[in-house]
Amino acid sequence: ENDSILYWPCLDKILKFNVNKLVNFSKVPPQVSFLEYVYYNEKERISVFDSFLQKDFHVLSRFRNVEIKFACPAFLNHDNIQFRYRIKPDAPWIYLKANEQIRIIDIAPGTYQFEVQASYDGLSWNTSKKSLPFVFQPYFYETFLFWAIVAVCVFFIGRTILKYFLDDLKKQQEISFKEKVEKNSLSLQVIKSKYIPHFTFNAMTSINYLLRKEEIKKASAYLIKMTDLQRIALSNFDNPETMLETELKF
């Protein structure tokens, strides 16, 4: 008709529309709904869905890959719809191709909330559709407690090794000091045995006797020989080996 009225037949009624007042859907961003969350590894795949009874999803540490399926329920064809998503409020937006789903590989341990938006023109985006928070559990070796235990073990092992080496060094020093003391003691005994034998007293007595008889030359010669004898004894007591010539001269 001429009054811009559109009549749409249904089973039990006829709907009446004013064409001039119909909303232009190209200017209204489509609404996104999450369909399914799949976290998986090489051997397993587990599907989960949003629930009013849940506050978050706790993902076991063996799952580090996630796939998120979503759609705009009011539209069968998504070829003309653009999507973008991010996994944290401060993360940059990641844009998807038509009919592409979200796939994240090797996600790090932590808490994530997936946020998806849709648009017709890439300029006007709908209000973000947010998933329930996903808590990806770390492996035991990725936890603070594990590394704290490792640090404590390394500290005590290092301390034990250091103590062992210090004790061994101290023991070696004590042995070395004891050997030096024994060596010096033996050296003193050698000096004493060579420097103060019985014949030395006898020789001094003989020199004294010659001096009393005023036989100065004999006493002097006697004293010189005795001095040479003591010099040879003291200068060679440290050597483990002695030349035969020196021994014969002695």
Side-chain angles (χ1 to χ4, degrees):
E1 298 183 4
N2 295 327
D3 57 355
S4 299
I5 298 299
L6 173 67
Y7 296 92
W8 188 269
C10 297
L11 291 178
D12 57 347
K13 65 185 73 174
I14 296 178
L15 299 181
K16 179 181 178 181
F17 298 96
N18 187 329
V19 178
N20 294 328
K21 295 183 179 179
L22 287 177
V23 176
N24 186 352
F25 279 95
S26 63
K27 295 182 181 180
V28 178
Q31 298 300 311
V32 179
S33 294
F34 289 109
L35 303 179
E36 183 183 9
Y37 309 98
V38 180
Y39 40 89
Y40 61 96
N41 55 28
E42 295 178 355
K43 299 180 180 179
E44 298 178 82
R45 291 178 67 90
I46 296 179
S47 298
V48 295
F49 305 90
D50 279 337
S51 170
F52 292 107
L53 301 178
Q54 265 187 301
K55 294 182 178 180
D56 53 26
F57 293 109
H58 284 263
V59 184
L60 298 177
S61 58
R62 66 177 182 269
F63 296 105
R64 291 297 174 85
N65 307 322
V66 63
E67 179 180 312
I68 303 171
K69 298 180 181 180
F70 59 90
C72 294
F75 300 88
L76 298 177
N77 187 359
H78 291 171
D79 291 341
N80 297 323
I81 302 177
Q82 300 179 40
F83 296 96
R84 66 182 184 180
Y85 76 94
R86 59 186 177 184
I87 59 176
K88 286 189 175 182
D90 56 346
W93 289 103
I94 299 175
Y95 293 83
L96 299 173
K97 298 178 182 178
N99 296 312
E100 186 178 7
Q101 301 295 334
I102 299 173
R103 288 184 180 86
I104 304 176
I105 308 299
D106 293 330
I107 192 168
T111 301
Y112 303 89
Q113 187 171 25
F114 301 102
E115 183 178 351
V116 180
Q117 292 182 348
S119 173
Y120 281 112
D121 54 9
L123 300 175
S124 178
W125 296 88
N126 70 330
T127 304
S128 295
K129 179 67 176 180
K130 295 182 180 181
S131 69
L132 292 176
F134 276 75
V135 182
F136 285 84
Q137 303 292 339
Y139 289 105
F140 72 94
Y141 55 80
E142 295 176 321
T143 61
F144 173 79
L145 178 61
F146 171 80
W147 287 108
I149 293 173
V150 169
V152 171
C153 292
V154 169
F155 170 77
F156 281 105
I157 291 173
R159 181 182 177 186
T160 302
I161 294 174
L162 181 62
K163 186 176 183 299
Y164 171 79
F165 281 107
L166 290 177
D167 290 344
D168 185 66
L169 179 62
K170 184 179 179 181
K171 185 177 179 180
Q172 294 296 331
Q173 290 177 343
E174 289 177 352
I175 292 174
S176 177
F177 179 75
K178 186 176 180 180
E179 289 177 350
K180 288 181 180 179
V181 170
E182 291 177 353
K183 183 178 179 180
N184 291 336
S185 178
L186 290 173
S187 299
L188 290 173
Q189 291 179 14
V190 171
I191 293 173
K192 184 177 180 180
S193 65
K194 290 188 175 183
Y195 189 70
I196 318 177
H198 289 292
F199 87 90
T200 302
F201 295 105
N202 295 336
M204 297 299 291
T205 303
S206 300
I207 292 172
N208 181 58
Y209 172 75
L210 292 174
L211 290 173
R212 292 180 62 184
K213 289 181 61 178
E214 295 184 356
E215 294 183 11
I216 304 302
K217 290 183 179 181
K218 285 185 179 183
S220 177
Y222 201 157
L223 187 58
I224 289 172
K225 287 185 178 182
M226 182 180 174
T227 301
D228 292 337
L229 182 65
Q230 296 295 337
R231 183 181 294 110
I232 293 173
L234 294 176
S235 61
N236 287 281
F237 81 92
D238 241 352
N239 298 329
E241 297 180 352
T242 306
M243 298 294 292
L244 179 59
E245 179 183 359
T246 303
E247 196 66 29
L248 292 174
K249 183 179 180 182
F250 181 75

